[in-house]
Amino acid sequence: AKRKIGEIDHQQLSRCIQEVNKKMMEYGNIDDARHIRNHLRLARMNGQSQRSVIAKLKSQGLEITEIERHIEAIFKTENEDAAQADTAEIELLAALNFIKKKRLGCYSDALPTKDERHKHLARLARRGFSYAVSSKALDIEQQEEAEQYRMDIESCLPDKLV
Protein backbone atom coordinates (compact mmCIF):
# COMPACT_ATOMS: atom_id res chain seq x y z
CA ALA A 1 0.00 0.00 0.00
CA LYS A 2 2.86 2.38 0.81
CA ARG A 3 4.36 1.76 -2.63
CA LYS A 4 1.07 2.60 -4.40
CA ILE A 5 -0.07 5.44 -2.16
CA GLY A 6 3.26 6.95 -1.26
CA GLU A 7 4.10 8.33 2.13
CA ILE A 8 1.25 7.84 4.59
CA ASP A 9 1.00 7.64 8.35
CA HIS A 10 1.54 4.04 9.52
CA GLN A 11 -1.38 4.19 11.98
CA GLN A 12 -3.75 5.54 9.34
CA LEU A 13 -2.68 2.79 6.92
CA SER A 14 -3.20 0.17 9.63
CA ARG A 15 -6.72 1.47 10.33
CA CYS A 16 -7.58 1.40 6.62
CA ILE A 17 -6.37 -2.20 6.28
CA GLN A 18 -8.40 -3.26 9.32
CA GLU A 19 -11.49 -1.53 7.92
CA VAL A 20 -11.10 -3.29 4.56
CA ASN A 21 -10.68 -6.65 6.32
CA LYS A 22 -13.80 -5.97 8.40
CA LYS A 23 -15.86 -5.12 5.30
CA MET A 24 -14.56 -8.19 3.44
CA MET A 25 -15.60 -10.43 6.35
CA GLU A 26 -19.05 -8.78 6.51
CA TYR A 27 -19.59 -9.41 2.79
CA GLY A 28 -18.47 -13.04 3.16
CA ASN A 29 -15.38 -12.69 0.99
CA ILE A 30 -13.16 -13.88 3.83
CA ASP A 31 -14.56 -17.05 5.37
CA ASP A 32 -12.20 -19.51 7.07
CA ALA A 33 -14.89 -22.18 7.40
CA ARG A 34 -15.60 -22.12 3.66
CA HIS A 35 -11.88 -22.11 2.91
CA ILE A 36 -11.32 -25.20 5.09
CA ARG A 37 -14.39 -26.96 3.66
CA ASN A 38 -13.23 -26.30 0.08
CA HIS A 39 -9.75 -27.61 0.85
CA LEU A 40 -11.17 -30.80 2.37
CA ARG A 41 -13.47 -31.38 -0.59
CA LEU A 42 -10.74 -30.83 -3.17
CA ALA A 43 -8.30 -32.96 -1.19
CA ARG A 44 -10.77 -35.86 -1.14
CA MET A 45 -11.24 -35.60 -4.90
CA ASN A 46 -7.51 -35.30 -5.58
CA GLY A 47 -6.53 -38.14 -3.27
CA GLN A 48 -4.88 -36.16 -0.48
CA SER A 49 -5.01 -37.18 3.14
CA GLN A 50 -6.59 -35.02 5.81
CA ARG A 51 -3.19 -34.80 7.49
CA SER A 52 -1.69 -33.14 4.40
CA VAL A 53 -4.64 -30.73 4.17
CA ILE A 54 -4.20 -29.70 7.80
CA ALA A 55 -0.49 -29.10 7.21
CA LYS A 56 -1.27 -26.96 4.17
CA LEU A 57 -3.87 -24.94 6.06
CA LYS A 58 -1.42 -24.40 8.94
CA SER A 59 1.17 -23.15 6.45
CA GLN A 60 -1.41 -20.62 5.24
CA GLY A 61 -1.58 -19.15 8.75
CA LEU A 62 -4.68 -20.80 10.19
CA GLU A 63 -4.51 -21.97 13.79
CA ILE A 64 -4.73 -25.74 14.39
CA THR A 65 -7.52 -25.30 16.95
CA GLU A 66 -9.56 -23.32 14.42
CA ILE A 67 -8.95 -25.93 11.71
CA GLU A 68 -10.02 -28.77 14.01
CA ARG A 69 -13.09 -26.85 15.17
CA HIS A 70 -14.23 -26.28 11.59
CA ILE A 71 -13.56 -29.90 10.60
CA GLU A 72 -15.58 -31.11 13.59
CA ALA A 73 -18.44 -28.77 12.60
CA ILE A 74 -18.45 -30.25 9.09
CA PHE A 75 -18.90 -33.77 10.42
CA LYS A 76 -21.46 -32.87 13.06
CA THR A 77 -24.86 -34.00 11.84
CA GLU A 78 -28.24 -32.59 12.81
CA ASN A 79 -30.03 -35.83 11.95
CA GLU A 80 -28.88 -38.64 14.24
CA ASP A 81 -30.52 -41.32 12.04
CA ALA A 82 -28.75 -40.26 8.83
CA ALA A 83 -25.89 -42.46 7.73
CA GLN A 84 -22.74 -40.43 7.74
CA ALA A 85 -19.19 -41.27 6.76
CA ASP A 86 -16.57 -40.91 9.45
CA THR A 87 -13.07 -39.54 8.90
CA ALA A 88 -11.57 -43.03 8.39
CA GLU A 89 -14.01 -43.72 5.56
CA ILE A 90 -13.31 -40.35 4.00
CA GLU A 91 -9.58 -41.08 4.21
CA LEU A 92 -10.26 -44.40 2.47
CA LEU A 93 -12.20 -42.56 -0.24
CA ALA A 94 -9.30 -40.15 -0.76
CA ALA A 95 -6.86 -43.09 -0.90
CA LEU A 96 -9.07 -44.86 -3.46
CA ASN A 97 -9.20 -41.66 -5.53
CA PHE A 98 -5.41 -41.46 -5.36
CA ILE A 99 -4.79 -45.08 -6.40
CA LYS A 100 -7.29 -44.68 -9.25
CA LYS A 101 -5.62 -41.48 -10.41
CA LYS A 102 -2.12 -43.00 -10.22
CA ARG A 103 -3.23 -46.46 -11.45
CA LEU A 104 -2.03 -48.31 -8.36
CA GLY A 105 -3.42 -51.44 -6.67
CA CYS A 106 -6.50 -52.84 -8.41
CA TYR A 107 -6.38 -50.00 -10.95
CA SER A 108 -2.98 -51.06 -12.32
CA ASP A 109 -2.79 -53.19 -15.46
CA ALA A 110 -1.96 -56.34 -13.49
CA LEU A 111 -2.24 -57.19 -9.81
CA PRO A 112 0.89 -55.87 -8.12
CA THR A 113 3.60 -58.19 -6.88
CA LYS A 114 4.73 -58.09 -3.26
CA ASP A 115 7.52 -55.60 -4.08
CA GLU A 116 5.18 -53.41 -6.12
CA ARG A 117 2.67 -53.47 -3.27
CA HIS A 118 5.38 -52.14 -0.91
CA LYS A 119 6.12 -49.36 -3.39
CA HIS A 120 2.42 -48.53 -3.61
CA LEU A 121 2.19 -48.46 0.20
CA ALA A 122 5.18 -46.12 0.29
CA ARG A 123 3.52 -43.76 -2.21
CA LEU A 124 0.38 -43.66 -0.10
CA ALA A 125 2.42 -43.11 3.08
CA ARG A 126 4.27 -40.19 1.47
CA ARG A 127 0.86 -38.78 0.58
CA GLY A 128 0.00 -38.80 4.31
CA PHE A 129 -2.24 -41.87 4.58
CA SER A 130 -1.97 -44.21 7.55
CA TYR A 131 -0.84 -47.80 7.08
CA ALA A 132 -4.34 -49.09 7.91
CA VAL A 133 -6.02 -46.93 5.27
CA SER A 134 -3.31 -47.62 2.69
CA SER A 135 -3.38 -51.38 3.15
CA LYS A 136 -7.20 -51.44 3.11
CA ALA A 137 -7.22 -49.53 -0.19
CA LEU A 138 -4.59 -51.81 -1.71
CA ASP A 139 -6.25 -54.99 -0.42
CA ILE A 140 -9.17 -54.42 -2.79
CA GLU A 141 -8.55 -56.69 -5.77
CA GLN A 142 -11.35 -55.73 -8.18
CA GLN A 143 -12.01 -52.31 -9.67
CA GLU A 144 -15.76 -52.89 -9.37
CA GLU A 145 -15.39 -53.49 -5.64
CA ALA A 146 -13.33 -50.31 -5.28
CA GLU A 147 -15.92 -48.33 -7.22
CA GLN A 148 -18.67 -49.72 -4.98
CA TYR A 149 -16.69 -48.61 -1.89
CA ARG A 150 -16.31 -45.16 -3.39
CA MET A 151 -20.02 -44.85 -4.18
CA ASP A 152 -21.04 -46.09 -0.71
CA ILE A 153 -18.76 -43.62 1.05
CA GLU A 154 -19.74 -40.72 -1.21
CA SER A 155 -23.41 -41.36 -0.48
CA CYS A 156 -22.70 -40.89 3.24
CA LEU A 157 -20.61 -37.73 2.94
CA PRO A 158 -21.78 -34.65 4.81
CA ASP A 159 -23.58 -32.22 2.49
CA LYS A 160 -20.84 -29.69 3.16
CA LEU A 161 -18.25 -31.94 1.46
CA VAL A 162 -20.22 -32.83 -1.66
Side-chain angles (χ1 to χ4, degrees):
K2 284 183 180 180
R3 186 171 41 119
K4 292 286 186 181
I5 297 172
E7 286 299 316
I8 190 170
D9 181 39
H10 181 70
Q11 291 177 341
Q12 183 182 359
L13 179 62
S14 166
R15 282 193 306 271
C16 289
I17 290 172
Q18 288 174 355
E19 187 64 31
V20 169
N21 280 340
K22 182 179 170 187
K23 290 284 187 193
M24 296 295 276
M25 291 178 90
E26 286 175 9
Y27 296 146
N29 294 332
I30 298 176
D31 185 357
D32 288 341
R34 185 175 57 190
H35 181 67
I36 292 168
R37 187 174 53 246
N38 288 341
H39 266 281
L40 285 172
R41 185 178 59 246
L42 288 173
R44 175 185 49 81
M45 291 178 353
N46 291 328
Q48 293 177 329
S49 68
Q50 186 169 317
R51 184 181 308 157
S52 67
V53 174
I54 290 172
K56 173 130 177 134
L57 291 169
K58 280 177 50 179
S59 74
Q60 293 174 352
L62 293 169
E63 296 292 323
I64 187 69
T65 55
E66 184 178 3
I67 296 168
E68 289 172 346
R69 183 173 49 85
H70 286 299
I71 290 173
E72 186 178 310
I74 289 170
F75 291 107
K76 191 180 287 185
T77 180
E78 292 82 24
N79 185 356
E80 296 294 327
D81 298 331
Q84 196 147 3
D86 61 6
T87 53
E89 290 173 323
I90 293 173
E91 285 288 285
L92 176 61
L93 176 61
L96 289 171
N97 287 340
F98 179 72
I99 67 171
K100 181 177 182 179
K101 183 178 177 181
K102 298 299 181 181
R103 301 186 54 81
L104 305 175
C106 65
Y107 292 101
S108 64
D109 295 332
L111 282 177
T113 64
K114 191 174 183 178
D115 287 339
E116 289 171 338
R117 179 178 160 74
H118 287 297
K119 289 179 182 179
H120 295 181
L121 280 170
R123 286 186 77 175
L124 286 163
R126 284 191 296 273
R127 195 72 173 193
F129 294 104
S130 69
Y131 178 78
V133 169
S134 300
S135 62
K136 186 171 183 177
L138 292 176
D139 284 344
I140 300 171
E141 294 183 2
Q142 300 293 322
Q143 290 181 13
E144 295 80 19
E145 186 182 352
E147 290 301 318
Q148 187 61 47
Y149 267 117
R150 291 176 68 226
M151 288 175 25
D152 290 345
I153 296 169
E154 283 178 347
S155 69
C156 296
L157 282 176
D159 292 338
K160 299 170 187 170
L161 285 180
V162 177

